[in-house]
């Protein structure tokens, strides 16, 4: 049988609406999405075609965290063409995480999606991607995001609806202030005034208290702090956390070195503030052993291979009674919008990545009253703002 695009969309939508009510109740969405789109996919003979392009993000400010400083972040943008639709994805590659534009492209050259159809084979195609090579989590995330964009576009629906989430039920995003001189810290703090309801301060440098005092001289908003493993002594870390609590800090991210789990567990137990894992956790298989060590986990698409696994991590962590937050790298609105689809109902959010760059090339999720709100476009909810030349 031949269907026009419109007829197919309508037919899929009827299946989809019936199933999405169930999805909202169980949160077991991807498999339901898979079943509701299988009819359309069986009728299509199209192949998914993957292409990509390297791109360098220009940071608005030199960014310093405990141990590193930089002005640009390399990314690789990807596109999957399928049956007249385009799915977009992105790998963001901060240098300290080990992946490069060259390693991502080398990985993408090994990816052959021709045997899969989008949506129906989501579980299978994600497992296939993961099996191509160890690591390469950002490269895998780029393809995962593009697959989700495509699957949502086939449904004509944004993913937050597929997940059964309320897109406005989201935590305020933090705006990140890196380790810097008092003058720059004050300037960045003023930049955030009126736009954000919570700031995230990078600590773990030589003079954390000075940074906090500089910010406090400008604003009294709640603050999160991220030590990026920078505190080496548990008692000093605990003393600092008690001091921070007095200064209106509401949470602490990765206080100590990532493998020092025994000390972190004791610190968390004694800490008056919730303590979140970032560098200590990458993927779904790490979640269970974080219980009892940290209060919560920071889920980032680039660490965990994308939306498919991020959703599972969120579900598992919450079922274990842990808090969850969504984080990001410096990324365009492509990857930020993907993350924005799945974080409603989380405890904290750090989704300022696209707001820190001067050359975003996508429209997507936007900052509204201090929150990152996904658009209502289908898929991950993005549109390129400029002609992007993808190739292989
Ligand atoms: Mg962090």
């Amino acid at each position: 049988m031949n269907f026009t695009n419109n007829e197919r969309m309508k037919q899929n939508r009827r299946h989809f609406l019936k199933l999405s009510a169930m999805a909202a109740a169980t949160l077991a969405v991807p498999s339901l999405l898979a079943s509701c789109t299988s009819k359309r996919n069986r009728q299509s003979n199209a192949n998914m075609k993957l292409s990509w392009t390297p791109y360098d993000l220009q940071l608005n400010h030199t960014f310093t965290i405990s141990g590193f400083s930089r002005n640009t972040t390399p990314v690789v943008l990807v596109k999957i063409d399928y049956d007249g639709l385009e799915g977009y994805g992105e790998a963001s590659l901060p240098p300290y995480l080990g992946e490069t534009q060259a390693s991502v492209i080398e990985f993408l050259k090994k990816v052959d999606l021709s045997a899969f159809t989008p949506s129906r084979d989501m579980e299978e195609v994600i497992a296939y991607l993961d099996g191509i090579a160890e690591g390469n989590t950002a490269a895998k995330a780029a393809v995962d995001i593009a697959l989700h964009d495509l699957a949502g576009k086939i449904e004509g629906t944004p993913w937050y609806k597929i997940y059964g989430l309320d897109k406005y039920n989201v935590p305020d995003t933090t705006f990140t202030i890196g380790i810097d001189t008092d003058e720059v810290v004050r300037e960045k703090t003023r930049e955030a005034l009126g736009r954000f309801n919570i700031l995230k301060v990078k600590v773990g440098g030589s003079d954390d208290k000075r940074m906090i005092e500089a910010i406090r001289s400008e604003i009294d908003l709640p603050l999160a702090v991220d030590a990026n493993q920078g505190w080496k002594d548990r008692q000093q870390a605990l003393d600092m956390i008690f001091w921070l609590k007095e200064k209106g800090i509401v949470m602490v991210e990765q206080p100590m070195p990532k493998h020092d789990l025994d000390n972190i567990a004791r610190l968390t137990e004694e800490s008056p503030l919730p303590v979140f894992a970032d560098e200590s956790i990458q993927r779904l298989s790490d979640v269970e052993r974080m219980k009892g060590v940290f209060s919560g986990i920071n889920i980032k698409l680039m660490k965990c291979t994308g939306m498919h696994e991020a959703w599972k991590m969120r579900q598992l962590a919450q079922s274990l009674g842990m808090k969850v937050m969504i984080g990001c790298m410096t990324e365009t609105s492509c990857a930020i919008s993907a993350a924005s689809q799945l974080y409603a109902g989380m405890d904290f959010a750090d989704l300022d990545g696209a707001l820190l760059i001067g050359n975003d090339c996508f429209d997507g999720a936007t900052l509204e009253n201090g929150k990152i709100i996904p658009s209502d476009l289908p898929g991950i909810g993005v549109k390129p703002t400029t002609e992007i030349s993808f190739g292989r």
Side-chain angles (χ1 to χ4, degrees), residues 96 200 202 226-228 253-254 277-279 298 300 303 325 328 350:
Y96 59 93
K200 175 156 132 180
K202 293 291 191 179
D226 187 351
N228 290 108
E253 202 176 308
Q254 197 67 44
D278 187 3
E279 287 86 341
N298 186 346
K300 292 178 177 168
K303 287 195 300 186
M325 67 174 284
C328 66
D350 176 22

Side-chain angles (χ1 to χ4, degrees), residues 66-80:
S66 182
F68 304 92
S69 219
R70 66 181 195 274
N71 293 303
T72 62
T73 300
V75 305
V76 175
L77 304 172
V78 311
K79 178 166 71 104
I80 298 174

Side-chain angles (χ1 to χ4, degrees), residues 159-227:
W159 268 90
Y160 76 85
K161 288 189 181 172
I162 297 170
Y163 289 127
L165 300 174
D166 170 0
K167 74 173 187 171
Y168 293 107
N169 179 30
V170 293
D172 291 312
T173 185
T174 52
F175 177 71
T176 303
I177 298 187
I179 294 170
D180 225 313
T181 63
D182 283 9
E183 197 179 318
V184 175
V185 166
R186 286 205 180 95
E187 183 197 326
K188 287 186 189 172
T189 304
R190 285 194 293 271
E191 208 178 285
L193 272 177
R195 299 170 66 211
F196 298 91
N197 303 316
I198 178 170
L199 306 185
K200 175 156 132 180
V201 188
K202 293 291 191 179
V203 292
S206 56
D207 202 355
D208 295 341
K209 289 185 178 177
R210 178 187 55 76
M211 287 262 303
I212 301 294
E213 298 285 15
I215 292 164
R216 279 288 171 251
S217 71
E218 297 288 336
I219 51 130
D220 58 4
L221 289 177
L223 303 177
V225 297
D226 187 351

Side-chain angles (χ1 to χ4, degrees), residues 276-297:
F276 278 71
D278 187 3
E279 287 86 341
S280 289
I281 184 161
Q282 271 223 309
R283 301 197 53 181
L284 182 65
S285 55
D286 301 322
V287 173
E288 276 197 87
R289 65 189 175 86
M290 292 299 124
K291 186 176 164 58
V293 178
F294 290 90
S295 323
I297 59 169

Side-chain angles (χ1 to χ4, degrees), residues 7-122:
E7 283 165 340
R8 280 189 303 213
M9 286 293 215
K10 270 188 212 156
Q11 189 181 46
N12 283 329
R13 180 125 193 100
R14 277 197 300 275
H15 284 282
F16 174 72
L17 288 173
K18 197 167 64 187
L19 290 164
S20 63
M22 291 159 65
T26 62
L27 296 184
V29 179
S31 61
L32 288 171
L33 178 76
S35 60
C36 71
T37 51
S38 59
K39 190 153 192 169
R40 187 245 163 108
N41 288 328
R42 273 200 298 274
Q43 290 153 356
S44 174
N45 294 318
N47 279 347
M48 287 193 277
K49 288 198 188 83
L50 180 65
S51 54
W52 55 79
T53 187
Y55 190 67
D56 290 319
L57 306 184
Q58 306 298 325
L59 308 190
N60 295 331
H61 293 284
T62 302
F63 190 61
T64 304
I65 63 170
S66 182
F68 304 92
S69 219
R70 66 181 195 274
N71 293 303
T72 62
T73 300
V75 305
V76 175
L77 304 172
V78 311
K79 178 166 71 104
I80 298 174
D81 286 277
Y82 173 79
D83 210 8
L85 297 171
E86 293 170 334
Y88 295 102
E90 175 179 6
S92 173
L93 311 158
Y96 59 93
L97 292 178
E99 288 182 77
T100 62
Q101 288 171 332
S103 74
V104 170
I105 289 168
E106 194 186 316
F107 179 88
L108 295 174
K109 283 181 177 168
K110 294 177 190 157
V111 176
D112 178 5
L113 298 175
S114 61
F116 301 97
T117 48
S119 300
R120 185 185 65 184
D121 299 337
M122 188 66 89

